[in-house]
Amino acid sequence: MKNAIAQLVQQALDALKQDGTLDADIVPTIKIERTRDKQHGDFASNVAMMLAKKAGCNPRELAQKILQHLPQSADLVKAEIAGPGFINFFLAADTSQRVIEQILAAGEAYGRSDIGKGKSVQVEFVSANPTGPLHVGHGRGAAYGASVADLLEAVGFDVHREYYVNDAGRQMDILATSVWLRYLELCGEEISFPVNAYKGDYVWDIAATLHRENADELRHSRESVFFGIPVDEPEGGDKEIHIDAVIDRARALLGDKQYRQVFELGLNTIREDIRRDLEEFGIVYQDWYSEHSLMHSGAVDNAIERLKMSGHVYEENGALWFKSTDFGDEKDRVIVRDNGQTTYFASDIAYHAEKLERGFDRVIDVWGADHHGYVPRVRAALQALGDDDKKLDVLLVQFAILYRGGEKAQMSTRSGEFVTLRELRHEVGNDAARFFYVMRKCEQHMDFDLDLAKSQSSDNPVYYIQYAHARVCSVQRQLEEKNLPRDIGRGQANLSLLTETHEQDLLTAMTKFPEIVEKAAIIHEPHQLAHYLRELANFVHTYYNAHTFLVDEENLRDARMNLIEAARQVLANGLRLLGVSAPESM
RNA sequence: GCCCCGGUAGCUCAGCAGGAUAGAGCAAUCGCCUCCUAAGCGAUAGGUCGGACGUUCGAAUCGUCUCCGGGGCGCCA
């Protein structure tokens, strides 16, 4: 409808160019907007104010001339000048009533569009280290990334969801070592567990599996493990040096094969656990991309070689540095350490270069806001490699800070004191969790009040929206129970009976849905959809309270049934995009 | 010190690709179930949009400065 009105305005402007009121070389961008206030009609344009200066007359005069040249249209009942020079457009009642037909015909497809048609986009999100179960902080990136991906798909993009598995770094060695030490304890060894090792219960579980499958085969005495190892923090040592030494010892005692066995048991167990967790949360990935596979395939070395060729690499203090300051980064970054190991950053350069090589038109990374300093160096690397870093969007999600009983709750994977995403899902339900996470724009710090989220109170708007959906379903059940006939065609033929203010409000709200989906997708803001659904649900509840749907008059009843069925469909489609279910009864 | 995010009603937040009188939920007060689920609806009350300057016909929205709060600045990942 926006486009249709814009075309009418365009024709009027062309006419004004013909008669010399406007210079022929003016190419205005015609903006048609939804009005905020019903008194201002349905749509408004500010072209007259934008062009008044160039036309050499005041905005209202120009608006008047535009109106004189505006072609007739069956969609519009009137167009008028208002305020400082706005042109307000009033839709004919049957124009908005027609949306019911569109919705009933399109069903689940209503709201979808093809503005992204033929374009592929990769969305990488969560990508938490597989060193433990996902916690509540990861949940926000998960819900947000999933909704962004689903929205993009809804507007026609070919979407590829990907999880980058950091299965190659030091943290994974710490995990493997933690598992092994717990295993030794299960074998009966008395171990002083390192401060820096992973302490969660899940480590015990993995160790138990290891012990079940291998009995004491991987056992070494406490003395042989800790002999000559620098002391840990509680004894006045350095916890980092201590854990690194224990890792080296584990490797030496177990040998490559056995160490790898422990390592992979830990990795696979946790990665599968995360995969299941997210799947239960309604999130399915097309690919779980392994960092280790990047290194194994030579992609990392290859990327480093290409960087060298580009001339933006130098050696210093035995390490290899990427001169990212050439591209605006605040300092240069190490890509190969003095011990010969490549850094995480080196892997990430290779990974991002590889993403672009795969041919995606757009690449989206959803990261925690604590990684924001990381963005310039990744862009720098892509530029150095001659790749187009403009294809990359990095969306930073601020932390969700947990509150319990009014107090900040601490989270740390290593200390094992955290609330897992799974716990949260089980306590508040997947629907509430998904909705709650995307209710606020991602740059907003989020206070996640666990008590509030756990209490299934009406404070949580997800119930409000779901209830609107369930209410419509309930009316439909009532219709059947009362053996009232339902004739969709008769309803369609009598839409003109829907003249109540509440009905018009609901119709207008439903026509906005495709615009909301499009906007939310393009600017990556699912919260806009969340707010819209709340508003739509409000119109449904208000209408429900103000009017009876199951009236005796058949024509009106069928028209109203069609209207609320359309509203139900829009609610369901919107909730689906946010990963929230649309229950038929509550 | 540098960088990112936030500062809008008592509380939690929308609005910010400039537009008309700044909106919602919660909390408060008052109403509405012999009637399709009251997990609902209606009404009242509540604001110098942190502050200053600038750009503009027009600024909560854009720019600069400043104050306050949160976070980030590793040869960790």
Side-chain angles (χ1 to χ4, degrees):
Chain A
M1 189 46 61
K2 265 187 196 177
N3 291 338
I5 296 172
Q7 275 179 19
L8 296 177
V9 173
Q10 183 65 56
Q11 288 176 40
L13 291 178
D14 287 344
L16 289 176
K17 284 181 186 174
Q18 292 277 324
D19 73 12
T21 309
L22 283 172
D23 283 345
D25 54 350
I26 295 177
V27 186
T29 48
I30 299 171
K31 219 165 96 181
I32 307 292
E33 291 184 312
R34 289 277 180 183
T35 55
R36 216 179 286 175
D37 189 334
K38 273 193 293 190
Q39 292 182 350
H40 299 139
D42 298 290
F43 293 91
S45 177
N46 62 354
V47 270
M49 288 182 287
M50 302 293 284
L51 297 178
K53 217 172 209 179
K54 286 177 185 165
C57 59
N58 77 48
R60 290 188 66 104
E61 265 175 50
L62 182 60
Q64 185 58 47
K65 287 177 183 165
I66 293 172
L67 283 189
Q68 279 163 8
H69 290 86
L70 200 70
Q72 289 290 319
S73 165
D75 294 332
L76 298 177
V77 65
K78 68 171 170 174
E80 64 183 24
I81 303 166
F86 288 102
I87 302 174
N88 291 337
F89 301 92
F90 293 75
L91 290 185
D94 62 322
T95 304
S96 50
Q97 282 160 2
R98 232 177 293 143
V99 75
I100 293 178
E101 195 176 326
Q102 290 170 29
I103 295 169
L104 298 186
E108 288 183 1
Y110 180 68
R112 303 184 81 90
S113 61
D114 58 4
I115 53 173
K117 196 175 181 186
K119 279 176 271 184
S120 61
V121 56
Q122 184 213 40
V123 185
E124 182 218 322
F125 58 111
V126 186
S127 300
N129 285 351
T131 52
L134 297 177
H135 57 67
V136 221
H138 297 126
R140 188 173 189 188
Y144 174 72
S147 291
V148 168
D150 290 354
L151 280 164
L152 287 169
E153 200 163 69
V155 298
F157 285 91
D158 182 13
V159 178
H160 184 90
R161 300 163 187 78
E162 187 156 307
Y163 190 116
Y164 182 53
V165 185
N166 296 128
D167 54 4
R170 174 170 172 262
Q171 299 304 324
M172 289 306 298
D173 286 315
I174 296 179
L175 175 75
T177 302
S178 304
V179 168
W180 185 55
L181 291 176
R182 288 304 193 203
Y183 160 87
L184 292 178
E185 289 188 66
L186 291 175
C187 293
E189 295 292 331
E190 295 250 336
I191 301 290
S192 55
F193 204 67
V195 171
N196 231 6
Y198 290 103
K199 296 195 182 67
D201 288 342
Y202 61 94
V203 179
W204 280 112
D205 295 341
I206 301 168
T209 304
L210 189 65
H211 191 246
R212 196 164 54 243
E213 292 175 356
N214 299 277
D216 281 6
E217 264 178 60
L218 308 175
R219 181 171 181 173
H220 288 264
S221 70
R222 174 206 150 82
E223 291 72 26
S224 63
V225 174
F226 288 100
F227 176 75
I229 298 284
V231 295
D232 202 359
E233 197 173 66
E235 289 79 47
D238 182 318
K239 60 182 179 181
E240 306 290 348
I241 291 174
H242 176 74
I243 192 81
D244 282 339
V246 178
I247 292 169
D248 288 344
R249 180 62 50 85
R251 276 213 176 91
L253 290 172
L254 289 169
D256 276 352
K257 196 178 165 207
Q258 287 190 331
Y259 180 81
R260 201 68 211 163
Q261 185 192 346
V262 176
F263 185 101
E264 281 181 6
L265 178 66
L267 167 65
N268 292 337
T269 306
I270 293 175
R271 195 194 47 226
E272 280 313 293
D273 177 70
I274 290 174
R275 194 189 55 72
R276 261 198 317 278
D277 197 8
L278 289 172
E279 198 172 294
E280 285 168 18
F281 204 28
I283 301 168
V284 175
Y285 287 90
Q286 274 72 55
D287 206 352
W288 292 72
Y289 201 96
S290 152
E291 179 188 2
H292 184 260
S293 76
L294 265 181
M295 301 177 79
H296 194 69
S297 71
V300 175
D301 293 336
N302 184 36
I304 292 170
E305 277 310 308
R306 284 175 60 201
L307 274 183
K308 280 182 184 166
M309 305 263 279
S310 77
H312 298 286
V313 166
Y314 62 93
E315 269 189 63
E316 194 175 287
N317 298 331
L320 195 66
W321 296 71
F322 168 47
K323 205 163 188 305
S324 53
T325 48
D326 286 350
F327 303 91
D329 196 8
E330 54 188 14
K331 55 176 288 197
D332 294 339
R333 311 290 174 178
V334 171
I335 48 178
V336 182
R337 277 177 281 202
D338 57 5
N339 65 7
Q341 286 194 335
T342 56
T343 59
Y344 173 81
F345 178 43
S347 295
D348 233 14
I349 294 172
Y351 181 43
H352 281 87
E354 196 272 349
K355 286 186 185 198
L356 292 177
E357 268 169 40
R358 276 193 264 168
F360 295 114
D361 295 304
R362 296 213 66 78
V363 168
I364 295 175
D365 287 357
V366 178
W367 288 350
D370 54 330
H371 285 65
H372 85 266
Y374 203 77
V375 180
R377 75 188 76 164
V378 171
R379 289 197 185 284
L382 288 176
Q383 285 169 27
L385 291 173
D387 287 323
D388 183 6
D389 78 299
K390 286 186 198 69
K391 287 183 178 174
L392 172 69
D393 270 324
V394 181
L395 307 179
L396 298 172
V397 179
Q398 291 289 332
F399 283 132
I401 302 162
L402 292 181
Y403 286 87
R404 182 186 281 126
E407 299 272 311
K408 225 182 221 182
Q410 288 299 319
M411 271 191 304
S412 162
T413 317
R414 266 184 237 174
S415 67
E417 300 166 16
F418 53 80
V419 182
T420 62
L421 175 60
R422 186 174 275 116
E423 283 167 3
L424 180 78
R425 291 195 297 103
H426 289 165
E427 285 174 35
V428 310
N430 285 325
D431 288 342
R434 281 289 298 257
F435 193 88
F436 209 91
Y437 273 129
V438 297
M439 246 171 63
R440 303 205 180 135
K441 61 182 174 193
C442 68
E443 310 96 82
Q444 182 73 247
H445 291 276
M446 187 162 95
D447 292 344
F448 203 124
D449 187 330
L450 288 170
D451 303 320
L452 182 68
K454 283 174 193 168
S455 73
Q456 298 209 351
S457 71
S458 57
D459 293 357
N460 197 331
V462 68
Y463 294 114
Y464 182 86
I465 299 166
Q466 289 181 318
Y467 182 39
H469 183 272
R471 261 187 159 172
V472 173
C473 294
S474 174
V475 173
Q476 291 168 342
R477 281 192 299 272
Q478 288 284 323
L479 185 82
E480 282 179 36
E481 283 168 21
K482 291 180 179 174
N483 282 320
L484 294 169
R486 164 110 196 264
D487 186 330
I488 295 173
R490 182 169 56 197
Q492 289 308 96
N494 288 287
L495 293 181
S496 59
L497 298 175
L498 302 176
T499 54
E500 300 287 348
T501 311
H502 292 108
E503 291 163 341
Q504 283 302 317
D505 288 346
L506 189 52
L507 285 165
T508 304
M510 293 192 302
T511 61
K512 288 181 191 170
F513 182 64
E515 296 162 29
I516 297 287
V517 172
E518 182 176 321
K519 188 181 181 195
I522 297 303
I523 63 177
H524 314 309
E525 292 191 350
H527 78 272
Q528 302 232 5
L529 178 56
H531 285 276
Y532 165 83
L533 290 174
R534 221 244 155 233
E535 191 181 292
L536 181 63
N538 178 239
F539 283 124
V540 171
H541 286 308
T542 303
Y543 181 35
Y544 180 96
N545 273 275
H547 300 282
T548 306
F549 306 150
L550 301 179
V551 291
D552 293 335
E553 215 283 283
E554 290 181 341
N555 290 344
L556 180 61
R557 187 176 69 226
D558 280 330
R560 286 187 170 168
M561 289 307 291
N562 285 5
L563 172 59
I564 61 169
E565 166 56 19
R568 187 205 62 75
Q569 185 73 61
V570 177
L571 285 169
N573 292 3
L575 287 172
R576 188 198 191 96
L577 284 171
L578 298 180
V580 179
S581 70
E584 294 186 1
S585 68
M586 287 175 76

